[in-house]
Structure formats: C-alpha cells, structure tokens
Amino acid sequence: MTFMITFSLPVETIEERTSRFLETGAPPPDGVKMEGRWHSVSAARGWVVASTQDAKALFRWITSWADVIEFEVEPVLSDQEAAEVLKGAAH
C-alpha cells in the first residue's frame, strides 16, 4: 500500500529535528520503502511518499519523529489503481 505523508515542521523544534536529520538522514525502517521525500523552500513542511504492507513499521517510523514533527498520513491510489476501482463501480 502507498501512503502520502505530509509533515509540518514547528519552528520551536528546528534545532533538535535538524540535528537528528543530519545525523541519521531519517531513513525508513525495514519493511517501508520511501519512494521520495520533498521539503518546502519555506522549511515549514514537507511530503513523503512511502509504500509498505507493514503498518506497524510505518507507525514505528512516524512515532520516532512525532516529538519534533507533526504528521498526517493518508493511504493513496495511483491513477491506474483508481481507474480499476472506477471501472468496477461502473458495472
């Protein structure tokens, strides 16, 4: 399953999260593939597209940063996946 993760970067946590990010690179845990990560030029938020069949691994990754970053996580479908569902609903 694919997830769109939107993260907000509170100004009050900038020192801690910057230090941790530069030290670790914030890689996903085993079982989660990060398809890409983007940061806004305002440094106020960002986005990750990740895929996994292990919701616990995704939860582990998110909660390891939840003390310094706010997250919204949504399962998403590609255009092809959405079209398959819509074709099935049309019958």
Side-chain angles (χ1 to χ4, degrees):
M1 181 168 257
T2 304
F3 295 87
M4 172 62 76
I5 304 163
T6 302
F7 56 92
S8 299
L9 302 166
V11 69
E12 60 271 10
T13 65
I14 192 168
E15 290 181 27
E16 173 62 21
R17 64 182 156 78
T18 298
S19 174
R20 284 167 50 183
F21 178 75
L22 292 175
E23 282 180 31
T24 69
D30 289 343
V32 177
K33 180 180 180 189
M34 182 169 52
E35 306 291 345
R37 178 169 42 210
W38 300 266
H39 303 260
S40 68
V41 294
S42 68
R45 64 186 186 153
W47 303 266
V48 175
V49 175
S51 57
T52 186
Q53 296 301 317
D54 184 356
K56 288 190 268 184
L58 183 61
F59 182 74
R60 187 169 34 258
W61 189 26
I62 296 299
T63 58
S64 72
W65 287 89
D67 61 322
V68 292
I69 299 174
E70 298 171 9
F71 294 95
E72 292 180 35
V73 181
E74 296 286 335
V76 295
L77 300 174
S78 67
D79 282 353
Q80 181 180 350
E81 292 167 325
E84 291 171 11
V85 171
L86 294 171
K87 286 178 188 174
H91 293 290

